Amino acid sequence: MTIAVVGSINLDIVTRSPRLPKAGETLHGSSYATFLGGKGCNQAVAASRLGSTTHFIGRVGQDGFGQEALTQLASFGVSRQYVQIDEKTATGIAVIGVDANAENAITVIGGANMALDESDIQRALEPLQAADILLLQLEIPMAVCEGAARLAHNNGATVIFDPAPAPKEGLPDSLLGMIDIITPNESETYSLTGILPTNALEAEKAANALHDKGVKAAIIKLGAHGVFYSGYGTQGFVKPFKVEAIDSVAAGDCFNAGLAHSLDCAKAINSESFAEAVRYAAACGALATTKHGAAPAAPYAEEVHKLLG
Ligand code: RIB
């Protein structure tokens, strides 16, 4: 069983301050660090660290940040074979502020990630056609997501889609119809359905709206309030795991990687394995908040099993 991830790879510049600055304000922070990041790359590192055979398809620029990102990617055990070096565009970066409550605010400059095109899919046909699960997010062009989803869908793979960052123009019906599992957070759910999922009832309404759009299963991430899931003949709610959160960056990415890994380990996706995978994913997301940075915050399988009890 293998997982393919088509998505972004960034160098993250992360500052820590007691709180996030307001518009027009200059604030003294306490420290900063650089980490490997990008929603796609974080998902690939996390799925691989959990034990799934994982292929990452992305792009960096021909610059120092790109070299640094590739070196770090390899150090996390993910092959750089399907990461194209773009001679015309700079490596993607993210400038991230993290406050004392572990909350974050992110500005992403997509750079080479937004230059991904059909050629990246063609270069990676082998792992994409072999994948049982495809992980997608939206820090790359929508057309590339659609192309990769079509390939995976036609090959019978499970397409897990994180609509982050939320697209202003919504998602095309053609893409929605190929998504097996969608995983929006509260604001992404609002932007896709017009429903703000402030409680389980509203989350259920939003999930039903997503089903109506053609998505098989919806997992609504409610941050510190837990996770609502609906699909594969089951619905339920996973309460948040209690952990010492210091940095919420990449928690959503580790959630999706955990979901994919758990489903990858299951013999078939049914109501039981789906519900179990959501719980596993929630544990992965929670553990990611206990460590600094994006890709380096990915949990190990032993940590997840310990938290699941
Ligand atoms: O989801 C967290 C990620 O979002 C960061 O690693 C940053 O690069 C942005 O893409």
Side-chain angles (χ1 to χ4, degrees), residues 138-277:
L138 271 179
E139 288 180 338
I140 58 171
M142 185 82 79
V144 177
C145 281
E146 272 200 74
R150 185 163 302 110
L151 195 64
H153 181 72
N154 291 344
N155 280 321
T158 299
V159 178
I160 302 179
F161 187 81
D162 192 4
K168 269 191 242 106
E169 62 287 2
L171 295 175
D173 289 348
S174 46
L175 177 59
L176 283 161
M178 294 185 292
I179 296 172
D180 292 285
I181 307 174
I182 195 163
T183 61
N185 66 15
E186 287 153 300
S187 63
E188 290 146 10
T189 300
Y190 181 72
S191 123
L192 292 175
T193 65
I195 300 167
L196 189 62
T198 44
N199 54 45
L201 196 68
E202 294 302 301
E204 184 178 347
K205 274 191 210 159
N208 287 337
L210 290 165
H211 289 313
D212 289 345
K213 287 176 192 274
V215 173
K216 257 194 220 157
I219 300 175
I220 316 274
K221 298 170 184 165
L222 304 171
H225 304 293
V227 181
F228 178 84
Y229 61 90
S230 166
Y232 298 97
T234 185
Q235 272 196 346
F237 188 79
V238 178
K239 282 200 221 139
F241 287 91
K242 287 201 176 80
V243 292
E244 281 284 306
I246 55 167
D247 178 347
S248 58
V249 175
D253 305 329
C254 292
F255 179 102
N256 281 42
L259 180 74
H261 173 70
S262 181
L263 294 174
D264 185 35
C265 296
K267 285 201 182 75
I269 308 184
N270 51 35
S271 55
E272 248 174 68
S273 60
F274 179 59
E276 199 176 301

Side-chain angles (χ1 to χ4, degrees), residues 8 10-12 36-39 42 93-94 96 106 108 139 249-253 294-295:
S8 57
N10 294 332
L11 209 71
D12 291 354
L36 180 64
K39 296 187 195 303
N42 297 340
I93 64 155
I96 305 179
I106 305 181
V108 181
E139 288 180 338
V249 175
D253 305 329

